[in-house]
Amino acid sequence: MTAHNAEINGGEPDEIDYDETYRETASSGGPPWDIGGPQPALAQVLDNGVKGPKVLDVGCGTGDLAIALARRGYEVTAVDISRVAIDMARAKAASQGLTVNFEVQDARALSLSSAPFDTVFDSGLLHSLNRRGGGEVDEYVALLPGLAAPGASVFVLAVSLKAGHGWGVTEDLLRAGFPEPEWVDTEVEEIDVAAETGGRQLLLAGFLLRTVRAFGT
């Protein structure tokens, strides 16, 4: 999961050096989105909502979701823009004897030889992308049909603008990224997104989108 600096211009995220953020917070528990496990709102999905065998985790951070999926026997590829986070994720998986294909990649220009996947997770990435003039969100969601096999499930967990921090997404923006006929059976659920800062646990208003890559499109 990724997040932004609280200083936002016009509802858009500031640029963040994620490598620097992970280094600076390593001794204090990590950045707010690094909660030591998958987001609680994904618990039911992990238990009975994942199609396999191939799963992609985009914006994986230090790998907790990817590792939870690997522990359940899935063939997991996980990517993040931060090399520091990926190094942490690799070490974490190795310490647990689990195999995950971790790669350093920019979500706006993904190139994965193992695509397409049967399930794709975005746990806190989309809400960190800039939306001015379409921008990074459009670049990112335009790649997803090529990453999701026909019939694949896609899950997007994002902080809501209603969380009151000056950034986030709306339900309309989420749905606009996954239009018919390319995507079907789309549902958006209001959820709590967990975060930790200064030893305090926080719950932020958010959304969990579930959709399916249509056959024949």
Side-chain angles (χ1 to χ4, degrees):
M1 178 177 176
T2 55
H4 325 301
N5 188 298
E7 296 298 324
I8 303 296
N9 296 316
E12 295 293 349
D14 281 347
E15 291 295 325
I16 292 179
D17 183 331
Y18 286 102
D19 282 342
E20 181 180 355
T21 299
Y22 279 105
R23 289 192 194 99
E24 290 182 346
T25 60
S27 62
S28 59
W33 57 87
D34 194 349
I35 62 171
Q39 281 289 317
L42 293 177
Q44 185 175 359
V45 174
L46 293 178
D47 287 339
N48 55 33
V50 183
K51 298 176 184 177
K54 294 166 60 179
V55 180
L56 174 64
D57 179 10
V58 189
C60 66
T62 60
D64 291 313
L65 174 58
I67 287 169
L69 289 161
R71 190 178 294 117
R72 287 166 169 78
Y74 297 104
E75 299 172 17
V76 185
T77 295
V79 301
D80 199 276
I81 197 169
S82 169
R83 183 170 298 278
V84 174
I86 290 294
D87 287 344
M88 291 178 176
R90 286 171 176 158
K92 194 181 296 184
S95 72
Q96 299 180 42
L98 295 170
T99 299
V100 178
N101 176 29
F102 286 110
E103 298 190 22
V104 180
Q105 292 209 27
D106 187 330
R108 299 163 299 178
L110 291 171
S111 177
L112 296 168
S113 60
S114 50
F117 298 91
D118 303 299
T119 300
V120 177
F121 283 95
D122 169 344
S123 181
L125 170 68
L126 187 145
H127 69 217
S128 72
L129 300 176
N130 194 300
R131 296 183 295 281
R132 289 193 185 97
E136 296 174 346
V137 171
D138 285 354
E139 292 176 339
Y140 168 55
V141 298
L143 295 174
L144 292 179
L147 297 171
S153 295
V154 174
F155 298 90
V156 179
L157 181 146
V159 171
S160 168
L161 192 59
K162 293 179 181 178
H165 294 280
W167 57 272
V169 301
T170 63
E171 180 174 343
D172 286 345
L173 182 140
L174 280 178
R175 289 186 178 276
F178 299 89
E180 294 183 349
E182 202 159 42
W183 303 97
V184 297
D185 299 330
T186 302
E187 300 177 358
V188 179
E189 175 187 359
E190 292 188 359
I191 60 163
D192 289 326
V193 178
E196 293 183 4
T197 181
R200 295 186 303 124
Q201 296 184 344
L202 306 175
L203 293 177
L204 308 178
F207 298 108
L208 178 60
L209 175 142
R210 308 164 188 245
T211 192
V212 176
R213 176 82 161 87
F215 289 91
T217 58

